[in-house]
Amino acid sequence: MKETSHRVSKAPKSAIRELFDLASGRPDVISLGIGQPDFPTPEPAIQGNIDALKKKITMYAPTRGVPELLELIEEKMRRKNKINTNWKENIIVTNGASQAVTLAFASLFNPGDELIISSPNFVSYFYCALFFGVKVIEVKRNKDFSPNIEGIRNSITPKTKAMLINSPNNPTGHILSSTELKDIVDIIIEKDLYLITDEVYENYVYDGLKHISPASLDGMFERTITVNAMSKLFSATGFRIGYAVASKAIIDLMEKFHQYTVAGTNHAAQYGFIEALKMGIGFFKEIWESFNERRNLVYNRLKEIGFNLVKPHGAFYMMPSTEKFNLTGSQFSQRIMEKQAIAIVPGNIFGSFSDNMIRISYATEIEKLKEAMNRIEKFVLKL
Ligand SMILES: Cc1ncc(COP(=O)(O)O)c(C=O)c1O
């Protein structure tokens, strides 16, 4: 048989999914690997989806998305993100933020282009780049996980096409400050680059910090692709509904790729998102408070246990170092699963500079988190 795709073969199976496989069917396992909130999807979102199906909305959706949904996203972008768009030109509904990222790659890059990413960072970016023949230039984050602005500047070559940011960040929990964002934006404009900004955790922001959308800043709309989804805010990762916001020229390209690869997004689910957006954000207060409490609990316990770690200000992850225990992140992850039935994602899947780290998700109920911290303590004491 002839060889199959080199690019796709090179990508490993998702380590996070493998961890879930290991944990499945084992009731003793507590998973700290989870990438979705444990709160239920709000009822209006579910009902919107059901009603649409009952009305037999089962045919292909308009390629860019249902107009009523596009209008609501336009309004949300204006209100929450301070970005003025025209829904007829600047928005496309996608299969989750994941596909919005894919569309960003499809519309911007040619093989050989370079993309700058602060590392560690979300795992999918690395493989999307591989699939589109894009060379990722990883710039190691500073010790507090802030971006290394000088490092970014020095990494730019004539082949650099874009930078990709994700703030609040998975896996580090870092939120870009207005100064860090300004430094990044200055580079983007000065060097004539594009910016892809993945904002799926925009509501998971703590300690009085603010999420700023770069496309709202002067001179940035035309060169920015903003990626978002209903997944994390509405605890609805299985709806597979996201969106991308960009200039007309970029959305036109995305529409073509979307048309010929997926022919649209789940039609009925878009009505679920319509009802979710109409609800407003009031429902999220309780979730935010719970996540903030979990964040403080996990951070304080890990500190007490002796981990070196940075307190995250956003998303629902933190990234402690395992170096002090003379274990790589992978060794730590494997052994704690064996000995204490805790599922933790090793840091090395998030890039080249996090071999001696683990990623802990605190999107799990508080009693389980307390028990998980006790088990981690027992494990560490026996090392
Ligand atoms: C930073 C980031 N972007 C995108 C996604 C994927 O989002 P979706 O489920 O909407 O495709 C995730 C999921 O964990 C994520 O953490």
Side-chain angles (χ1 to χ4, degrees):
M1 300 280 269
K2 298 219 180 195
E3 274 184 296
T4 50
S5 160
H6 291 169
R7 283 184 186 167
V8 182
S9 309
K10 260 195 212 160
K13 266 183 85 176
S14 159
I16 300 182
R17 290 287 157 110
E18 273 178 18
L19 201 70
F20 281 139
D21 291 347
L22 269 180
S24 86
R26 278 188 62 185
D28 58 328
V29 172
I30 299 178
S31 178
L32 302 179
I34 295 169
Q36 58 191 346
D38 57 331
F39 281 78
T41 309
E43 204 43 43
I46 293 172
Q47 200 54 50
N49 196 347
I50 292 173
D51 290 347
L53 286 171
K54 290 225 165 107
K55 284 186 203 147
K56 308 273 185 291
I57 297 184
T58 54
M59 66 300 283
Y60 289 119
T63 310
R64 289 186 183 201
V66 169
E68 189 185 351
L69 175 56
L70 294 170
E71 280 185 70
L72 282 165
I73 296 172
E74 179 195 285
E75 196 269 319
K76 179 263 172 189
M77 294 308 289
R78 193 166 27 250
R79 187 173 25 82
K80 164 88 181 158
N81 306 96
K82 315 282 176 260
I83 304 172
N84 288 322
T85 64
N86 173 350
W87 67 269
K88 291 185 179 151
E89 297 186 344
N90 303 125
I91 305 171
I92 187 164
V93 176
T94 59
N95 295 278
S98 303
Q99 199 219 352
V101 170
T102 309
L103 290 182
F105 275 75
S107 56
L108 286 187
F109 295 113
N110 295 308
D113 284 347
E114 293 179 3
L115 167 70
I116 296 182
I117 295 182
S118 286
S119 188
N121 221 321
F122 179 51
V123 58
S124 295
Y125 308 147
F126 297 97
Y127 297 109
C128 237
L130 169 67
F131 298 155
F132 282 94
V134 175
K135 184 170 174 200
V136 172
I137 309 296
E138 287 179 86
V139 179
K140 189 178 176 184
R141 290 175 183 273
N142 297 323
K143 283 217 154 41
D144 64 355
F145 292 136
S146 59
N148 175 349
I149 300 295
E150 223 22 63
I152 291 174
R153 226 172 230 292
N154 294 336
S155 304
I156 292 170
T157 74
K159 289 189 174 166
T160 311
K161 173 73 71 71
M163 201 186 299
L164 196 169
I165 57 174
N166 163 228
S167 171
N169 180 253
N170 173 9
T172 63
H174 183 75
I175 294 185
L176 288 171
S177 69
S178 53
T179 319
E180 288 159 1
L181 194 57
K182 182 169 183 319
D183 288 343
I184 288 174
V185 160
D186 285 349
I187 296 174
I188 296 285
I189 293 177
E190 185 191 320
K191 302 289 180 186
D192 188 23
L193 305 177
Y194 290 98
L195 181 67
I196 305 170
T197 166
D198 178 344
E199 305 186 6
V200 292
Y201 297 103
E202 66 181 350
N203 297 287
Y204 294 84
V205 171
Y206 315 105
D207 302 323
L209 299 189
K210 281 214 157 54
H211 168 71
I212 308 166
S213 292
S216 68
L217 304 176
D218 278 354
M220 282 303 289
F221 182 74
E222 290 299 314
R223 41 181 84 245
T224 304
I225 297 178
T226 306
V227 166
N228 214 322
M230 84 179 284
S231 308
K232 313 284 175 176
L233 173 58
F234 295 102
S235 306
T237 50
F239 266 65
R240 306 310 306 132
I241 296 288
Y243 53 97
V245 178
S247 68
K248 178 179 184 307
I250 289 174
I251 296 290
D252 285 350
L253 294 177
M254 287 184 172
E255 182 179 11
K256 283 199 256 181
F257 195 86
H258 196 60
Q259 178 68 61
Y260 296 125
T261 53
V262 296
T265 303
N266 185 315
H267 203 164
Q270 293 189 48
Y271 286 87
F273 192 24
I274 286 174
E275 295 310 317
L277 285 173
K278 283 186 190 161
M279 280 171 65
I281 190 94
F283 80 98
F284 187 68
K285 187 168 179 282
E286 179 198 350
I287 301 173
W288 182 90
E289 280 167 2
S290 169
F291 273 73
N292 196 23
E293 188 188 346
R294 298 166 189 200
R295 178 180 70 109
N296 287 321
L297 169 97
V298 171
Y299 173 76
N300 291 336
R301 283 291 282 128
L302 290 176
K303 268 287 201 221
E304 238 171 57
I305 295 167
F307 281 92
N308 285 326
L309 81 160
V310 178
K311 188 165 189 183
H313 298 297
F316 38 73
Y317 310 99
M318 50 187 92
M319 260 202 129
S321 163
T322 53
E323 210 160 3
K324 192 172 157 185
F325 307 110
N326 290 321
L327 292 175
T328 64
S330 291
Q331 289 167 335
F332 192 99
S333 168
Q334 270 166 20
R335 291 197 201 165
I336 199 157
M337 181 60 137
E338 274 163 32
K339 305 244 185 270
Q340 291 293 341
I342 301 281
I344 298 180
V345 180
N348 61 358
I349 71 164
F350 301 101
S352 308
F353 305 115
S354 36
D355 284 0
N356 295 323
M357 295 180 197
I358 46 175
R359 187 198 71 173
I360 290 194
S361 157
Y362 49 89
T364 298
E365 59 191 277
I366 206 115
E367 287 313 313
K368 276 196 183 164
L369 285 175
K370 284 184 186 161
E371 168 61 16
M373 293 304 121
N374 292 342
R375 291 193 203 174
I376 291 176
E377 188 165 36
K378 270 192 219 150
F379 174 74
V380 163
L381 282 175
K382 283 192 191 144
L383 284 174

